[in-house]
Amino acid sequence: MITVTQTHFEKDGKPFFYLADTCWSAFTNISLADWRYYLKNRKKQGYNTIQINVLRQWDASTTPLGQKVWEPFKLLDSKKKRIYDYQHLDPAYLDHVEEMLTIMQEYELQPALVLLWCNYIPNTWVHEMVGSNNNLMPLKAVTNYVDTITKRFKKYQPIYYLSGDTDFPDGPAIEYYLTAEKIIRQNDPTALVSAHIAGEKLDIYPQLLEKLDFFAYQSGHGKTGQATSYTIPQAMRQQGYIKPIVNAEVCYEFMPQFSPTMAERFSAQDVRRSSWQSILGGASAGITYGAHGIWSWHNGGETFPPGYPYPADWHEALNFTGAMDVSYIKSLVTEYGLVDLENVATPTAGVLLAEAKSRSKALAYVVSSRDVDLTAVSFDIKQVKAIDLNTKNIYYPNFKERKVESCDLAGDYLLVIE
């Protein structure tokens, strides 16, 4: 069971670094054989958590001809468009989800389940964008839906996200989330509960925030908004937030950078930078990777919603370079016992510095070679080593009077300060 201890998580009494992969469309789009293959590989890569949308992802890829199409609710009209009968959860779908969760248990992977993605909630940004195709869930249907899900799947000890990609609009949306939170606490009182917020945002209903066990944000996929990987957790800490913080959606590898042209894609180094800046900026409890092709579960030759350039086939996306770059964060944090990292200096051009108070160790993420000032480190420095994050080679730079000389490396690197 995962619990909260100050600013980090523990599982079975030991520190637990939340390293998740984004697989929103798992329950509706993946065959059981592919699910096993996927889980086996993510487990081998070091991941311990999978984030999944309990309902159908509104912008998922289509499924191959002949593959079973799974729907969470009975359909009122399957010929024209997907309109659900929200009073009737499909028993076959629930059986299917349970089988997938059972397989996750075999691989000792933690499910993190999103209950109410924003397209099902009134007045959210997706509701406004897709209009009549949004298939809104009536508020009165939330109670039965959440009650059924939490009672049936409690035995898998999931983490729950009340919301998915929401902007927390004015109006009735808050009642959806407060209702869901209340039912979870009644049915599964030991479960951890949070909310998945739209990209580059940190504002959340105050009466909901106080009920959450940890704060989850996303730096998202905007070309000009990547600094939010560290500015959001810094802002939360400055406001006095003391619980764990997780970046639950860094920029997806190979995803187009949201901009007027959508011409550039996020590289493995972009993902690595966003991830390290999150961890050292205050979101030290964990990180969530995503690959453009996995989250929508894209099979080659299938269609993908208009508006984004095509994703990779999921087989290819499963082995993108960035997956192991992000997994390396967990390896290093675990190796050095750095579960209590705290940002100790205002970010300068390309440098973030965080210290583990209980271990007399600090880390500095350096975007590109430059001299680094370690004046903010509180302990006597005996050694500094640099890890090239592209090659994982280790170097020992010169340092004097709390100044570390440039490593003259071609890309980003990490300073381990002891």
Side-chain angles (χ1 to χ4, degrees), residues 17-79:
F17 183 86
Y18 180 103
L19 180 65
D21 187 39
T22 306
C23 197
W24 299 134
S25 308
F27 293 155
T28 59
N29 282 43
I30 305 181
S31 70
L32 292 180
D34 288 346
W35 182 234
R36 283 189 176 276
Y37 183 87
Y38 162 77
L39 294 178
K40 179 181 178 180
N41 279 272
R42 281 296 188 242
K43 177 70 174 181
K44 182 172 63 177
Q45 292 168 335
Y47 288 78
N48 54 31
T49 304
I50 308 295
Q51 293 179 183
I52 309 168
N53 187 354
V54 175
L55 303 178
R56 176 170 289 281
Q57 184 72 22
W58 71 276
D59 51 357
S61 296
T62 58
T63 53
L65 184 65
Q67 181 175 310
K68 169 71 175 178
V69 177
W70 295 99
E71 298 291 356
F73 296 93
K74 292 184 178 180
L75 293 171
L76 291 175
D77 185 350
S78 59
K79 295 180 180 179

Side-chain angles (χ1 to χ4, degrees), residues 162 176-185 193 208 211:
L162 300 171
Y176 283 73
Y177 302 129
L178 291 176
T179 298
E181 192 274 341
K182 182 179 179 181
I183 295 170
I184 294 171
R185 300 303 188 188
V193 180
L208 183 62
K211 297 176 182 294

Side-chain angles (χ1 to χ4, degrees), residues 230-231 234 281 343 345-353:
Y230 60 87
T231 60
Q234 283 185 327
N343 182 253
T346 301
T348 58
V351 179
L352 272 90
L353 177 64

Side-chain angles (χ1 to χ4, degrees), residues 216-237:
Y217 71 102
Q218 60 160 311
S219 47
H221 318 291
K223 179 177 181 179
T224 61
Q226 291 303 297
T228 57
S229 59
Y230 60 87
T231 60
I232 287 177
Q234 283 185 327
M236 291 297 293
R237 293 302 185 207

Side-chain angles (χ1 to χ4, degrees), residues 148-392:
T148 301
I149 294 298
T150 51
K151 284 180 177 177
R152 177 149 184 177
F153 302 136
K154 174 183 177 180
K155 59 187 173 185
Y156 300 101
Q157 299 183 344
I159 294 170
Y160 292 103
Y161 286 100
L162 300 171
S163 60
D165 210 16
T166 192
D167 48 355
F168 294 111
D170 294 334
I174 186 172
E175 295 302 325
Y176 283 73
Y177 302 129
L178 291 176
T179 298
E181 192 274 341
K182 182 179 179 181
I183 295 170
I184 294 171
R185 300 303 188 188
Q186 291 172 348
N187 292 344
D188 196 357
T190 62
L192 296 185
V193 180
S194 190
H196 183 273
I197 307 176
E200 304 176 27
K201 295 184 181 296
L202 78 164
D203 293 326
I204 183 173
Y205 306 126
Q207 60 268 55
L208 183 62
L209 178 61
E210 66 183 9
K211 297 176 182 294
L212 302 181
D213 296 301
F214 63 99
F215 179 75
Y217 71 102
Q218 60 160 311
S219 47
H221 318 291
K223 179 177 181 179
T224 61
Q226 291 303 297
T228 57
S229 59
Y230 60 87
T231 60
I232 287 177
Q234 283 185 327
M236 291 297 293
R237 293 302 185 207
Q238 290 168 0
Q239 294 171 17
Y241 191 78
I242 61 173
K243 297 178 183 179
I245 300 178
V246 168
N247 188 341
E249 190 170 323
V250 299
C251 53
Y252 293 157
E253 188 171 4
F254 196 64
M255 170 77 92
Q257 297 182 12
F258 288 178
S259 67
T261 65
M262 300 281 279
E264 302 169 85
R265 294 177 181 269
F266 287 108
S267 67
Q269 184 165 342
D270 293 325
V271 174
R272 189 167 67 225
R273 179 174 63 248
S274 180
S275 300
W276 275 111
Q277 289 181 334
S278 299
I279 298 298
L280 302 189
S284 58
I287 200 79
T288 302
Y289 170 77
H292 192 43
I294 295 293
W295 70 269
S296 63
W297 204 258
H298 189 75
N299 287 272
E302 292 299 314
T303 60
F304 188 66
Y308 309 99
Y310 70 95
D313 180 273
W314 71 266
H315 298 85
E316 176 188 1
L318 187 58
N319 294 298
F320 283 164
T321 303
M324 291 307 298
D325 284 343
V326 176
S327 177
Y328 182 68
I329 297 175
K330 188 194 81 170
S331 299
L332 195 142
V333 168
T334 302
E335 176 185 352
Y336 287 98
L338 305 178
V339 295
D340 58 344
L341 281 170
E342 295 180 13
N343 182 253
V344 294
T346 301
T348 58
V351 179
L352 272 90
L353 177 64
E355 183 175 330
K357 301 294 184 182
S358 63
R359 304 286 294 182
S360 294
K361 287 184 173 64
L363 298 177
Y365 175 76
V366 188
V367 172
S368 58
S369 283
R370 67 199 67 208
D371 295 346
V372 178
D373 187 340
L374 301 181
T375 304
V377 174
S378 65
F379 53 82
D380 292 333
I381 300 173
K382 303 299 183 183
Q383 176 180 276
V384 178
K385 66 180 179 181
I387 303 174
D388 184 329
L389 291 173
N390 185 43
T391 65
K392 307 303 185 290

